[in-house]
Amino acid sequence: MQETKRVSTHDSLKAVSYKLFEVISDELDVNTAYVAQQGSKAMKVISSFNKDHFIVPEGFQVTYDGSHCRLIIQNDEGVMHTNNLGSFNLTKDMEVTKQLEVKGYLGVTLRDYYGNIFGTLCVMDKEEKDFTDKDIHFLKNMAEVLSYIIHLDNTIADIDLLSVPIIPIKKGLSILSLQGNINEERSQKILEDTLSYAAKNSSESFIIDLSQIVLLENRFPDVLRNLVLGLNIMGIKVMMTGLPPWLVKMQEVRDHLTDLQTEYVMDIESALNKIGYTLEK
């Protein structure tokens, strides 16, 4: 089985950076502030703020070698600044400089809690800007704040990777208890891990309990359908318990569930009784 890697959408980083960008813009008197994440081949803007002139949109990507961010990350001090990108020796001939049409620029390396490079925190303006040591120190402090938020996002992603609670009851019988917020990313993890577990453990029956679900996001009903169909194809009997009233009221969910080859019972104890497994009191 291929190892599952942590994937974070960095929702907390985006939320916090949006609040910080306006402060940064006012403090440094710049139009634009953004966070770019370093990928395997490119730098991608994952959050941005544009005060008066729309310069850098979210999702904007530049190849790593052709980015200003490379100059920041490769600098020993983790910083690069100029009052005019168009006349600065290191940036004047870069394609991205011509594309953005800005002058004042300051960027610092953004690291995670453990010091690993995440990307950059940058500001820019259409006018020339002479950035001082105080300005650089300020932006580095903002980057340090964001590094703790990156750590929080990564921790949440780690927890999500572990949150597929399969409980073995006896040989061939297991319970999958789905809890909390089920988003599209986590639902895919649930699908992959459950099918792999079922195959590895020669499962005969699976009870899927939904009583502790708090929220469904995006296309989770599709994944739930695929999970049941996948187990059915493997010859595994599926029973579903604990459907909360608010979930049953959702038309899309009802449409999916009524077509599935599965039994619906009130709770886990009832499901175990149907299978012929009783709990001693």
Side-chain angles (χ1 to χ4, degrees):
M1 178 177 168
Q2 186 177 3
E3 181 182 357
T4 302
K5 297 182 180 180
R6 172 178 65 197
V7 178
S8 174
T9 55
H10 297 291
D11 292 336
S12 300
L13 174 63
K14 293 174 185 177
V16 172
S17 63
Y18 292 149
K19 296 180 182 298
L20 288 183
F21 285 157
E22 191 168 358
V23 175
I24 292 171
S25 174
D26 290 341
E27 177 69 22
L28 300 182
D29 189 25
V30 291
N31 179 80
T32 299
Y34 64 90
V35 166
Q37 183 177 10
Q38 182 180 19
S40 58
K41 297 181 179 180
M43 299 295 302
K44 180 179 180 180
V45 175
I46 62 173
S47 60
S48 66
F49 169 84
N50 297 276
K51 188 175 184 180
D52 298 318
H53 306 285
F54 190 75
I55 299 174
V56 178
E58 290 184 11
F60 180 77
Q61 292 191 66
V62 180
T63 61
Y64 179 72
D65 289 340
S67 69
H68 300 132
C69 298
R70 174 181 61 84
L71 302 175
I72 300 167
I73 293 171
Q74 292 181 350
N75 183 277
D76 291 340
E77 300 297 324
V79 61
M80 192 273 284
H81 65 95
T82 175
N83 67 352
N84 192 332
L85 286 171
S87 60
F88 185 45
N89 185 52
L90 294 177
T91 59
K92 64 181 182 179
D93 296 323
M94 296 175 69
E95 183 62 33
V96 68
T97 298
K98 301 173 185 177
Q99 184 177 359
L100 294 175
E101 296 182 339
V102 294
K103 295 181 179 179
Y105 183 93
L106 167 63
V108 298
T109 301
L110 181 58
R111 298 178 181 272
D112 65 17
Y113 180 77
Y114 300 105
N116 302 309
I117 294 175
F118 176 85
T120 57
L121 170 62
C122 306
V123 299
M124 58 176 59
D125 198 272
K126 285 187 171 292
E127 303 299 325
E128 291 191 356
K129 298 289 179 182
D130 292 311
F131 295 104
T132 66
D133 289 342
K134 181 181 177 181
D135 295 334
I136 296 171
H137 181 71
F138 170 78
L139 197 61
K140 283 187 173 183
N141 282 341
M142 295 298 101
E144 187 172 345
V145 171
L146 293 178
S147 73
Y148 289 96
I149 308 303
I150 294 170
H151 180 59
L152 172 62
D153 280 330
N154 288 340
T155 300
I156 292 172
D158 282 338
I159 292 172
D160 283 344
L161 286 180
L162 300 174
S163 55
V164 184
I166 299 174
I167 306 167
I169 301 300
K170 66 175 184 178
K171 183 176 176 59
L173 172 62
S174 299
I175 298 173
L176 171 62
S177 178
L178 299 181
Q179 304 174 4
N181 178 27
I182 309 295
N183 56 27
E184 188 170 4
E185 186 175 312
R186 185 180 171 211
S187 65
Q188 191 62 35
K189 168 68 174 170
I190 290 168
L191 174 63
E192 293 173 358
D193 279 17
T194 303
L195 295 181
S196 296
Y197 175 91
K200 182 178 179 181
N201 292 276
S202 302
S203 297
E204 299 173 1
S205 299
F206 243 99
I207 299 171
I208 301 177
D209 181 63
L210 304 176
S211 61
Q212 300 302 312
I213 281 184
V214 175
L215 179 65
L216 295 178
E217 295 180 6
N218 300 323
R219 300 186 61 81
F220 174 75
D222 281 343
V223 179
L224 182 60
R225 179 194 60 188
N226 292 336
L227 175 59
V228 174
L229 291 176
L231 292 171
N232 288 158
I233 291 172
M234 295 168 68
I236 299 170
K237 181 179 180 181
V238 179
M239 300 185 73
M240 207 167 293
T241 69
L243 286 163
W246 65 265
L247 182 59
V248 177
K249 291 179 182 178
M250 297 171 64
Q251 182 66 46
E252 183 183 7
V253 175
R254 288 204 309 274
D255 291 343
H256 281 296
L257 298 185
T258 52
D259 293 334
L260 296 178
Q261 296 181 18
T262 181
E263 288 189 70
Y264 299 96
V265 294
M266 183 177 297
D267 51 34
I268 292 176
E269 183 176 359
S270 300
L272 292 173
N273 288 337
K274 273 187 169 288
I275 294 172
Y277 185 78
T278 58
L279 297 176
E280 295 184 2
K281 296 183 179 180

